[in-house]
Amino acid sequence: MVSLEINEIKYEVDVPPDVPLLWVIREHLKLTGTKYGCGIAMCGACTVHVNGKAARSCHLLAGDAQGKKIITIEGIPQDHPVKRAWIAEQVPQCGYCQPGQIMQAIALLSEDPNPSDQRILDFMNGVLCRCGTYPRIKRAIRRAIKESKTL
Ligand code: FES
Ligand code: FES
């Protein structure tokens, strides 16, 4: 049994503590916005926030996530500047990688609200997009920064 706090809701889930957090999120809690890509922390599709930092949920054991604040894509409000920018720039193609991209982008902007182009490139580097939406991702991040400043 593990006790988890996800999107500000507390859950008791009947799984062994060595189950990856991603499995709990998708299979037990049916929060299917977070995606399974590689399963070995190499693609970023499974990115969530753990205590405000981007983390690969395929590589984090549910037992180790206890006592931490976990946010998934479902926990990000629809009117969040990053989600709005993603829509305005029409970033997704197939869409599969996009929850991970958005979670990574939000983690970047909470660490560094005014990142350089190189910082954006470096920080987003580990989240792969097979559809090659990288230029639109960068434009959306720039738009979110601009909109956040005018809020
Ligand atoms: S599924 Fe977790 S990094 Fe690829
Ligand atoms: S939009 Fe298809 S993998 Fe990124």
Side-chain angles (χ1 to χ4, degrees), residues 57-74:
S57 61
C58 70
H59 208 60
L60 175 64
L61 301 181
D64 292 339
Q66 294 185 109
K68 298 178 176 153
K69 287 186 186 305
I70 297 152
I71 303 288
T72 69
I73 188 74
E74 292 88 350

Side-chain angles (χ1 to χ4, degrees), residues 118-146:
Q118 190 58 48
R119 174 94 165 113
I120 294 174
L121 211 64
D122 292 345
F123 198 90
M124 298 302 293
N125 190 30
V127 189
L128 306 183
C129 175
R130 292 186 68 174
C131 302
T133 62
Y134 302 114
R136 295 202 293 273
I137 288 170
K138 196 168 141 214
R139 279 206 301 276
I141 291 173
R142 281 268 160 249
R143 179 187 279 263
I145 293 166
K146 214 161 128 198

